[in-house]
Amino acid sequence: MAEKYIIGVDGSEQSRTALEWGLTRAAQSGATVELLHVADDSFLSESVAFLSEAQAASEKMLEAEREFARESGFTGQISGTAVVGHPIAEVENASRHADLVILGAHAGSKLAGSFFGTRAVKIAAVAHCPVAVVPSNVEGKPQPGVVVGVDGSEASQRAIAFAAEEASFRGVPLIAVYAWMPPLTPGLEYLWSEELVESQRSAAEESIAIGTAGLAERYPDLSVERRIVQAPPVAAILQAAEDADTIVVGSRGRGGLQRLLLGSVSHGVLQALPRTTIVTRA
């Protein structure tokens, strides 16, 4: 059965960038595509007339984006849904029936009201499938490659599995990054001898070896580069992303209202968003 991608559209430059990325990927993988436009009802009157006009505007926007997709040359199966509602809730519900949700975003956007600004972070936290957030502006011309963080957690293992499959499918290197920092306590730095630091490095080497174990057997042609970096995790991943075009990070998959908290690493990477970032589910 073919995969299904849901691509959020709103006619903006950021949305179009994500749409083009999603259509290219769908053409390569044979996935079906559903375009989703949500008219935010947060500031709308609840009267039938206002909601009817909002629905009509949403359908008009959706048709324009479907036409853009057809004109781009995409020949795969494509459908569309236009709704009036809360963007986060609507995309979360749609993600239950998708293999990947694709959103555009301003790099480092601080606009709380922007569907594809900080809401992309919240959607990535609550979605039921992986979410790809595509920046509209990328510095330089990144080399093809997939960066993934390794820390031994369940979320990390899921991210590694997704990243390895992604890199293998595209035929690009996988860069596995393990970041560590000695637990510095103010005034007690002298307790950290060279032997203790070396033991931390050894533990890091063991962790990254365990985290990437089995990849060579599963993907014989996959090139895996393992990096151990003494730096905060977000900084280490962003540095590695200078040599790649895609980042994969894991979400802890919390329940209730806490689902809006991705975790410091995934949230930090999405806030910087130097490259297309895919958030996987734990």
Side-chain angles (χ1 to χ4, degrees):
M1 183 177 179
E3 288 188 319
K4 178 180 179 180
Y5 298 167
I6 290 179
I7 306 177
V9 295
D10 67 1
S12 67
E13 176 187 350
Q14 294 75 28
S15 168
R16 288 283 175 88
T17 299
L19 177 55
E20 291 173 345
W21 185 91
L23 293 176
T24 298
R25 182 188 177 94
Q28 294 170 343
S29 66
T32 62
V33 171
E34 178 183 349
L35 306 185
L36 174 63
H37 180 262
V38 183
D40 192 346
D41 66 356
S42 300
F43 304 102
L44 295 177
S45 166
E46 294 183 359
S47 71
V48 175
F50 273 100
L51 295 178
S52 178
E53 289 183 12
Q55 181 65 39
S58 181
E59 292 174 357
K60 183 178 180 180
M61 171 63 70
L62 177 66
E63 184 53 38
E65 295 310 286
R66 290 182 66 176
E67 183 62 26
F68 176 84
R70 287 191 289 265
E71 291 177 352
S72 73
F74 181 70
T75 58
Q77 182 179 340
I78 186 168
S79 62
T81 300
V83 296
V84 178
H86 193 283
I88 296 174
E90 295 296 340
V91 178
E92 177 188 3
N93 185 56
S95 72
R96 297 176 186 274
H97 312 290
D99 296 288
L100 181 67
V101 169
I102 301 167
L103 306 174
H106 295 277
S109 174
K110 304 300 182 183
L111 300 178
S114 172
F115 182 0
F116 300 110
T118 56
R119 282 184 179 173
V121 174
K122 296 177 182 178
I123 290 169
V126 301
H128 299 271
C129 68
V131 175
V133 186
V134 184
S136 58
N137 297 308
V138 175
E139 294 184 3
K141 190 175 182 180
Q143 297 295 317
V146 179
V147 172
V148 63
V150 180
D151 65 10
S153 66
E154 179 185 353
S156 171
Q157 289 299 318
R158 182 62 61 89
I160 293 168
F162 185 100
E165 183 174 357
E166 173 79 6
S168 176
F169 170 73
R170 293 175 51 200
V172 301
L174 174 67
I175 303 173
V177 179
Y178 186 97
W180 69 280
M181 289 288 290
L184 298 178
T185 302
L188 298 179
E189 292 87 348
Y190 66 91
L191 294 178
W192 277 88
S193 65
E194 182 59 33
E195 289 77 12
L196 288 176
V197 172
E198 186 59 36
S199 70
Q200 289 291 305
R201 292 196 187 100
S202 297
E205 292 174 358
E206 180 180 2
S207 294
I208 199 170
I210 293 174
T212 57
L215 295 183
E217 291 76 13
R218 186 174 304 173
Y219 307 104
D221 297 328
L222 177 62
S223 171
V224 181
E225 179 182 347
R226 298 168 179 83
R227 298 184 185 180
I228 298 175
V229 183
Q230 185 175 339
V234 173
I237 291 174
L238 296 181
Q239 181 180 12
E242 295 177 0
D243 302 322
D245 58 10
T246 304
I247 301 172
V248 178
V249 292
S251 168
R252 295 193 181 100
R254 298 177 178 179
L257 294 177
Q258 288 185 323
R259 291 181 304 169
L260 295 181
L261 300 175
L262 275 175
S264 59
V265 175
S266 50
H267 187 274
V269 171
L270 282 180
Q271 284 295 305
L273 199 66
R275 304 285 187 258
T276 293
T277 298
I278 301 174
V279 181
T280 62
R281 306 304 303 164

